[in-house]
Amino acid sequence: MTVSRDELIFTDKNKKSETPDEIILTDHFDFSENLFPVNLGDSIESIDGINKSFDWDFDAEKLQFPLRLRKQKDGDEFYPVGFSGKKKVSKFFRDEKLSILARQKIWILTDSSDSVLGIIPFRQDRRYAKDEKTKWSLKIFNEMNNEI
C-alpha cells in the first residue's frame, strides 16, 4: 500500500516491476573528443508534473566510469549546484515537496563509486560540474518530446 498526499494506491508487491533497478548510461569516455553528449530521452520515463528538460555539463576527468542511473538509496548525499554545503537526497525530495509516488520514479545519476552526480531532472552535483579548468566535457541532457 502506498499513500500519497491525495491518493491511496494499492499495488501487488509480488508483481515484478517493469522498471529496471539500474541503467548503465555509458561505460567509457572517448578522450579523443572534447565533448561527449548523452541524451536520456529514451532511457527514463516521464513523471507527471515534474518533467522538464535539463542540460548538465560535467568535467569528464572527475568522473569514474561507468555512469549509471539508479533509484534513491538510504544515505545518498550530494552537493547541489546553487546550494552551499551538502544535502541528503531524501531531504532534497522533501524540500521539493515531491509525492511518494514521484520519488519512486526519479532517477539518480551516479558514477562507478556510487557517488551521486545529480538528481534527474532537478540538480547536478557541483563537485563534478564543468569549470574553467575543464579539458574534456561530458554533456548529459534530456530533450522533452512535446507531443500532444
Side-chain angles (χ1 to χ4, degrees):
M1 179 172 70
T2 304
V3 179
S4 169
R5 286 187 175 95
D6 301 320
E7 302 168 341
L8 178 63
I9 299 170
F10 293 92
T11 57
D12 184 358
K13 290 194 128 206
N14 297 325
K15 183 180 174 185
K16 292 282 184 186
S17 172
E18 295 177 17
T19 306
D21 292 333
E22 179 178 280
I23 299 170
I24 296 179
L25 284 182
T26 182
D27 58 356
H28 71 285
F29 182 83
D30 184 359
F31 284 95
S32 66
E33 302 284 328
N34 284 350
L35 177 67
F36 187 78
V38 177
N39 183 2
L40 298 181
D42 297 329
S43 300
I44 57 176
E45 69 176 292
S46 61
I47 304 168
D48 294 335
I50 60 170
N51 287 332
K52 55 185 174 182
S53 296
F54 65 92
D55 190 354
W56 296 341
D57 290 311
F58 291 94
D59 185 334
E61 291 182 305
K62 295 178 182 176
L63 304 177
Q64 296 179 25
F65 292 88
L67 300 185
R68 298 180 174 105
L69 292 176
R70 65 164 172 80
K71 301 299 182 177
Q72 177 198 1
K73 293 181 182 175
D74 289 340
D76 277 345
E77 296 178 332
F78 76 126
Y79 293 76
V81 171
F83 287 75
S84 62
K86 66 182 173 184
K87 192 163 213 157
K88 286 201 172 216
V89 171
S90 58
K91 173 117 173 68
F92 180 81
F93 285 166
R94 281 193 306 275
D95 292 348
E96 292 290 321
K97 296 181 174 63
L98 295 174
S99 72
I100 293 170
L101 295 176
R103 293 176 195 192
Q104 293 171 352
K105 293 182 179 181
I106 290 177
W107 290 98
I108 308 293
L109 177 64
T110 65
D111 65 7
S112 66
S113 65
D114 216 26
S115 297
V116 174
L117 304 178
I119 301 174
I120 297 180
F122 296 100
R123 298 274 178 172
Q124 175 182 1
D125 189 311
R126 70 174 175 270
R127 296 174 296 173
Y128 305 98
K130 178 179 168 182
D131 58 23
E132 65 278 348
K133 298 176 186 172
T134 300
K135 293 179 186 175
W136 293 283
S137 178
L138 174 73
K139 181 182 285 293
I140 307 266
F141 63 97
N142 182 26
E143 291 181 347
M144 297 300 298
N145 294 331
N146 294 329
E147 298 176 5
I148 297 177

